[in-house]
Amino acid sequence: MTVFDYPMEKMSVYVSDDGGSELTLFAFMEATRFARHWLPFCRENKIQERCPEAYFGSLDGEQSKGMKDLYEEMKGKIERAVMQGRVTDDLLDGEEARIALEKYWTAEFTRRDHPAVIKVLLETSVDVDITGHPLPNLVYISREKKRGVDHHFKAGALNVLMRVSAAMTNAPVLLTLDCDMICNDPQALQRALCHLLDPHEEASPKIAFVQFPQRFRGVDKHDYANEFSNIFRINPMGLDGLGCTNHVGTGCFFRRRALHGPPSSVPMHTNSNCSERCGKMINSEAILRMARDVASCDYEHGTKWGLEIGFRYGSLVEDLYTGYQLNCEGWKSVFCDPDEPAFLGDVLSRLNDALSQNEWWMIGLLEVAFSKHNPLVYFIKTNPVAGFAFAHYAFYPIWGIPIMAYAFLPQLALFNQIKLFPKVLDPWFFLYTYIFIMAYLHDMVEFVSFKEGTLMKWWNHQRMWMIKGVTCFPIALLVFSLQKIGVSAAAFNVTNKSLDDPQSMRYEKGVFDFGVWSPFFLLLATTAVVNLVVLVVSVVRCVMEGGFGEVLVQVFLCGGVVVNCLPVYEAMMFRKDGGRLPGGVTATALVLALGLLVVSHFCF
Ligand SMILES: O=c1ccn([C@@H]2O[C@H](COP(=O)(O)OP(=O)(O)O[C@H]3O[C@H](CO)[C@@H](O)[C@H](O)[C@H]3O)[C@@H](O)[C@H]2O)c(=O)[nH]1
Ligand SMILES: [Mn+2]
């Protein structure tokens, strides 16, 4: 965040470490030392790409060797600590760092059970870079964790950040960023402030947040695994037109006031704790005590935090949930999508990871859909069109039902020679075909005409949609239903961020990775096998016995699924690399497919 072209002494960076790892604190201690050299270097050389990893990665030759050496030295130390799993004395430079780490990471300290750790790493009134310019405040926070106390995942962490930052600096504008994101545009802050402070815009004081899209580094040319441009960039443009773009969890500038209640009920300035804070250093014992207090597990007990204040609890997609509740309260929101990405995240390169991430999202969406803040009943009162738009998100996983139905039922019927659709030249046939083609065409035109959209990317997107439709959507529906009847509990997997391994190399080449045992792949492989078998059987039957016109729609559906599943057949039969579908999955899928065909014979 230190990339912003903005006076550093007016910015504070709060880092939340929900994993409570000494390695993270150590990495930040190292980063502060590097920042003292790096920030003036960027300023002097007018560097736009200020994430050092990205900058040095795209650099050729021997330019800025000294700076690169410093960076490599820091990186090397952090990597050594990560490899060892702990920070050894030889890695620590000063006594102060060692004392800080020893003070907190005692023998009783575990990830799930530890006191709040708050460490001021930089204080702007004291710390300067090597040219004497002030550095921003930098504070490391690992909130208190106790076994058995609900910590509300990311929303809980963000609420702690909100309170600690209020105790320390209380800036009126907050930027939230995920751990896997980098800032890519030094002007992003100004862009957001233009909206939040616009004197000519009547709605400006009512704008709760300015959302930048989630965009990704390292997306392969045809984006076969999806950067979700339809969800993250196309749909929000429409919502922006309605004044209520959705919040996507990261790359978002909030008006702090908006998170404290409806526009009419909150005073223009929420500097309520200024009298306690003013004039004190953030590293003073009084401020630190207050910060630890608000970062404790019990602080929220009996308060409105998570219900009416701060980020809202109750859904794994706290972002959508919080954003839309703010809109319901009367706040507006803005979508800001400059051509040059303001923030960039890491793309998930493993198909299985992407599917399991989607499973969690889908469960979170269902939690919104079936909550008392259901967009249909709750939002329709204020803005019907936006209500439907949010319902489109919240009920998205329901797609699993029709997609599963269309992936299996017409095919099994066809296998048993049952005709489901009107035959060719029947007037209904034209209506069906018209609706089908128009729906697909609409999706395609919308996608391809958008900024970097291409036909190939669209094809991959629709394929991914189909893959999700037979894997994570139905599984999410099942898990959610089980949760509702009390069978299993919600959990949150932090998604895998590592990028340098064989799987990622396959990703870069645009090849799917099927190399793990996963229920997703089992469902996908079963779909693939059933459709292929039925396609072959029915084509042979049509050639021998005729009557193609009567089953054209069913054969077409079957063929469509088969074409979409080509990479699956390849992964089952022809691939030799680690991304090949495990034999066990293939065998189980064959048995399941056979079972389905046999059972269907008795049912139809
Ligand atoms: O218990 C938790 C879980 C997550 N996080 C943080 O939350 C962020 C998002 O987690 P990540 O693993 O990156 O999840 P994704 O599935 O990639 O997140 C997407 O989906 C989330 C839920 O909709 C949004 O909050 C995110 O912004 C969006 O990028 C990360 O910075 C995590 O460190 C916590 O602090 N505590
Ligand atoms: Mn993420």
Side-chain angles (χ1 to χ4, degrees):
M1 266 169 270
T2 46
V3 306
F4 291 136
D5 279 338
Y6 202 76
M8 289 288 150
E9 63 276 19
K10 295 206 166 126
M11 290 197 332
S12 303
V13 182
Y14 294 86
V15 180
S16 161
D17 179 13
D18 242 9
S21 166
E22 58 172 337
L23 297 173
T24 312
L25 179 54
F26 170 69
F28 273 94
M29 286 172 168
E30 287 299 311
T32 52
R33 289 201 298 147
F34 174 68
R36 287 176 208 268
H37 300 266
W38 175 246
L39 294 186
F41 175 81
C42 289
R43 245 193 333 264
E44 277 155 27
N45 296 293
K46 300 207 168 37
I47 293 171
Q48 286 278 318
E49 195 170 36
R50 296 186 183 182
C51 163
E53 182 72 28
Y55 175 72
F56 292 121
S58 62
L59 209 65
D60 37 47
E62 287 291 286
Q63 294 151 293
S64 32
K65 178 138 187 356
M67 191 46 77
K68 190 170 181 189
D69 287 347
L70 269 181
Y71 176 64
E72 292 298 335
E73 188 194 332
M74 169 190 77
K75 199 171 149 190
K77 275 172 95 173
I78 297 172
E79 282 174 351
R80 272 214 309 286
V82 171
M83 247 154 57
Q84 294 167 355
R86 59 193 202 91
V87 187
T88 43
D89 279 351
D90 58 307
L91 293 172
L92 288 168
D93 272 337
E95 189 64 1
E96 199 204 339
R98 196 177 57 78
I99 295 173
L101 292 181
E102 274 176 6
K103 179 172 160 198
Y104 298 108
W105 279 270
T106 56
E108 295 85 57
F109 191 107
T110 65
R111 195 156 62 91
R112 297 213 163 80
D113 205 330
H114 65 81
V117 181
I118 297 178
K119 174 100 184 105
V120 176
L121 295 169
L122 290 174
E123 171 135 20
T124 189
S125 54
V126 182
D127 292 290
V128 287
D129 63 28
I130 52 164
T131 60
H133 275 81
L135 285 163
N137 291 312
L138 174 63
V139 184
Y140 168 94
I141 303 166
S142 183
R143 59 187 167 137
E144 186 190 20
K145 289 277 178 70
K146 275 190 206 153
R147 254 173 219 286
V149 178
D150 200 351
H151 59 81
H152 302 294
F153 308 107
K154 178 179 172 188
L158 284 172
N159 284 341
V160 168
L161 286 187
M162 268 185 71
R163 292 194 297 267
V164 173
S165 63
M168 292 186 158
T169 46
N170 206 20
V173 175
L174 310 166
L175 163 65
T176 54
L177 265 194
D178 280 355
C179 59
D180 50 349
M181 300 289 289
I182 60 165
C183 295
N184 187 57
D185 174 12
Q187 289 289 315
L189 181 54
Q190 275 81 348
R191 290 182 197 275
L193 289 180
C194 278
H195 289 287
L196 290 169
L197 304 175
D198 190 353
H200 305 298
E201 186 70 57
E202 206 186 312
S204 183
K206 278 195 167 182
I207 293 173
F209 60 89
V210 178
Q211 176 70 63
F212 287 83
Q214 285 223 29
R215 297 183 61 182
F216 301 95
R217 290 196 284 173
V219 175
D220 87 308
K221 187 158 90 272
H222 298 311
D223 183 23
Y224 77 96
N226 250 275
E227 54 177 341
F228 308 110
S229 36
N230 43 357
I231 292 180
F232 287 139
R233 296 182 72 191
I234 301 178
N235 294 356
M237 280 201 303
L239 281 167
D240 182 63
L242 298 169
C244 58
T245 200
N246 54 323
H247 171 38
V248 296
T250 177
C252 187
F253 290 87
F254 279 95
R255 192 188 295 277
R256 185 188 286 269
R257 203 160 69 81
L259 289 154
H260 286 271
S264 51
S265 75
V266 196
M268 282 302 271
H269 300 286
T270 51
N271 283 337
S272 53
N273 58 359
C274 185
S275 53
E276 293 165 56
R277 201 191 65 245
C278 284
K280 291 202 185 99
M281 304 272 291
I282 59 172
N283 211 4
S284 71
E285 195 39 50
I287 298 286
L288 285 176
R289 203 176 321 116
M290 190 153 72
R292 273 194 298 271
D293 181 40
V294 296
S296 68
C297 283
D298 304 328
Y299 184 83
E300 288 183 353
H301 195 76
T303 67
K304 289 184 177 161
W305 280 96
L307 301 172
E308 289 168 34
I309 306 180
F311 291 83
R312 310 299 150 91
Y313 302 151
S315 167
L316 287 171
V317 289
E318 79 301 321
D319 44 0
L320 183 93
Y321 201 40
T322 305
Y324 117 86
Q325 283 195 43
L326 293 183
N327 291 138
C328 293
E329 286 175 4
W331 289 103
K332 302 235 165 283
S333 49
V334 173
F335 180 61
C336 187
D337 186 10
D339 286 340
E340 192 56 35
F343 302 99
L344 286 172
D346 290 335
V347 74
L348 285 182
S349 54
R350 302 176 179 89
L351 179 60
N352 194 48
D353 288 344
L355 294 178
S356 83
Q357 180 192 49
N358 262 267
E359 183 195 330
W360 293 116
W361 285 351
M362 294 305 133
I363 295 174
L365 291 177
L366 288 169
E367 283 166 341
V368 178
F370 294 97
S371 72
K372 73 170 189 230
H373 300 300
N374 177 324
L376 276 183
V377 286
Y378 185 64
F379 207 6
I380 253 172
K381 291 182 203 150
T382 41
N383 186 340
V385 184
F388 279 119
F390 276 99
H392 169 74
Y393 278 115
F395 288 97
Y396 202 69
I398 307 282
W399 273 117
I401 299 171
I403 298 179
M404 278 298 256
Y406 273 92
F408 285 102
L409 291 183
Q411 290 77 346
L412 293 177
L414 181 60
F415 183 69
N416 293 290
Q417 290 179 294
I418 295 168
K419 296 158 192 101
L420 289 186
F421 299 104
K423 62 179 178 206
V424 183
L425 300 183
D426 185 306
W428 285 106
F429 172 83
F430 290 108
L431 185 68
Y432 274 51
T433 322
Y434 175 77
I435 293 174
F436 172 83
I437 294 179
M438 282 306 153
Y440 246 66
L441 213 60
H442 164 237
D443 191 57
M444 189 190 84
V445 170
E446 186 178 74
F447 193 98
V448 173
S449 54
F450 179 73
K451 297 184 181 170
E452 301 105 52
T454 63
L455 217 53
M456 200 58 203
K457 282 189 181 179
W458 171 77
W459 172 259
N460 285 330
H461 262 73
Q462 73 77 32
R463 172 163 63 199
M464 200 62 177
W465 176 72
M466 192 219 82
I467 291 180
K468 288 178 200 161
V470 295
T471 56
C472 47
F473 292 1
I475 291 187
L477 281 168
L478 182 76
V479 173
F480 178 75
S481 316
L482 289 178
Q483 263 173 27
K484 278 280 151 197
I485 53 171
V487 178
S488 67
F492 191 104
N493 288 7
V494 178
T495 43
N496 196 326
K497 311 281 181 332
S498 96
L499 287 175
D500 37 27
D501 52 23
Q503 279 104 331
S504 308
M505 318 248 280
R506 283 195 277 277
Y507 173 81
E508 277 154 25
K509 290 198 202 118
V511 184
F512 279 118
D513 195 278
F514 292 103
V516 291
W517 210 107
S518 140
F520 300 129
F521 295 160
L522 183 60
L523 279 168
L524 185 59
T526 310
T527 315
V529 174
V530 168
N531 278 270
L532 185 64
V533 171
V534 175
L535 183 70
V536 172
V537 169
S538 52
V539 167
V540 170
R541 220 185 258 149
C542 287
V543 171
M544 314 261 286
E545 300 163 16
F548 193 58
E550 294 182 354
V551 290
L552 180 70
V553 177
Q554 274 156 288
V555 174
F556 178 78
L557 273 173
C558 219
V561 178
V562 168
V563 174
N564 265 317
C565 285
L566 287 177
V568 183
Y569 307 120
E570 195 193 354
M572 274 177 164
M573 295 179 277
F574 307 115
R575 278 172 69 170
K576 300 269 176 294
D577 60 359
R580 174 192 171 88
L581 202 68
V585 178
T586 307
T588 320
L590 287 174
V591 173
L592 274 179
L594 192 71
L596 264 175
L597 292 172
V598 173
V599 171
S600 74
H601 187 66
F602 292 104
C603 294
F604 281 102

